[in-house]
Amino acid sequence: MRSPTLIKQINALTPGDYKTITLDRPGPHNKPRVHESTAVKLSKYPTTVRQFIVTGLGREAPTVIITNDRDGTTKHLIERYARRMTIEQRLAEIIRAFHADALSSAVNLNVDLDIVLCVLAQALTAALRQRLPGYANVTPDTLQRRFLDTPGQIINHGDTVTVRLNRRAYSPVLRQADLPTNTTVPWRGNHTLRYQFA
């Protein structure tokens, strides 16, 4: 929550008050602009703290980071915050896409299994979106609607299983995707899995 005084301070900053730093992370938000205040007083806190006002992290409003870490570099502290923000976004995706907030039972075994399955599903959709051109940053629910909900047929031919997906509006993206053509599945007797697009 931002106080009126803090909002006034943010609005009073000019472009010259910020310095640009480069973060060691991929994506479009790796060159944020930072304004640092080194001796900010907080009510009911005994000493001063460092305050960063950061723009360019992918949020509409500037991000305000307050820390009592006096030794860490600006870059290190912003990168640590950005990693935490990414983790929070992934948790929000798991809750929204896989309903991790609606677990099947109060029994510990079922809850543990639900969480493991949610994490696995999130990891698999993250791997899939990296292979789909133009979809590297979409959420799992978008992948579910556009690709995973695609109807089709599963055809067994001896030691080969063919998954033939029906034609949809997003089929051209699947055709351009970096998907393996033939995959050996060890736990199914080394049968071959292959995909076909109608």
Side-chain angles (χ1 to χ4, degrees):
M1 205 158 96
R2 299 175 185 197
S3 67
T5 305
L6 179 57
I7 292 172
K8 187 176 178 183
Q9 178 188 351
I10 293 171
N11 292 336
L13 294 174
T14 64
D17 293 328
Y18 291 89
K19 68 175 181 178
T20 302
I21 63 170
T22 302
L23 303 180
D24 295 329
R25 69 174 193 162
H29 308 298
N30 59 1
K31 290 190 182 294
R33 304 182 72 225
V34 182
H35 171 75
E36 180 179 355
S37 302
T38 55
V40 174
K41 291 283 290 175
L42 299 177
S43 58
K44 298 183 181 177
Y45 190 75
T47 62
T48 59
V49 295
R50 291 169 75 186
Q51 174 180 282
F52 302 97
I53 298 171
V54 189
T55 63
L57 283 178
R59 295 191 172 185
E60 211 171 292
T63 299
V64 178
I65 301 171
I66 296 172
T67 181
N68 60 2
D69 184 342
R70 301 188 181 284
D71 301 322
T73 65
T74 301
K75 178 182 173 181
H76 170 73
L77 294 171
I78 303 296
E79 281 180 336
R80 188 168 63 189
Y81 169 81
R83 278 194 301 273
R84 288 178 180 170
M85 189 173 70
T86 301
I87 291 168
E88 289 174 9
Q89 288 172 338
R90 296 299 169 255
L91 289 173
E93 286 177 6
I94 289 174
I95 290 170
R96 187 173 56 248
F98 307 116
H99 307 290
D101 57 342
L103 302 176
S104 65
S105 170
V107 179
N108 286 344
L109 176 62
N110 289 346
V111 171
D112 291 347
L113 178 62
D114 284 352
I115 292 298
V116 168
L117 292 176
C118 286
V119 171
L120 285 174
Q122 198 275 338
L124 290 171
T125 54
L128 175 62
R129 69 182 170 196
Q130 295 302 319
R131 294 173 178 262
L132 297 172
Y135 282 82
N137 297 313
V138 299
T139 56
D141 49 331
T142 301
L143 292 178
Q144 178 77 20
R145 281 193 315 274
R146 296 186 181 180
F147 303 104
L148 302 178
D149 274 346
T150 302
Q153 297 175 304
I154 298 175
I155 304 161
N156 281 307
H157 288 295
D159 63 350
T160 302
V161 177
T162 302
V163 178
R164 183 175 295 153
L165 300 174
N166 293 351
R167 187 185 304 267
R168 289 190 65 191
Y170 300 101
S171 293
V173 176
L174 284 173
R175 284 190 179 88
Q176 295 173 4
D178 180 25
L179 297 174
T181 52
N182 294 309
T183 304
T184 301
V185 185
W187 52 265
R188 201 172 188 278
N190 288 327
H191 285 198
T192 300
L193 174 66
R194 98 177 23 143
Y195 295 97
Q196 286 183 356
F197 306 107

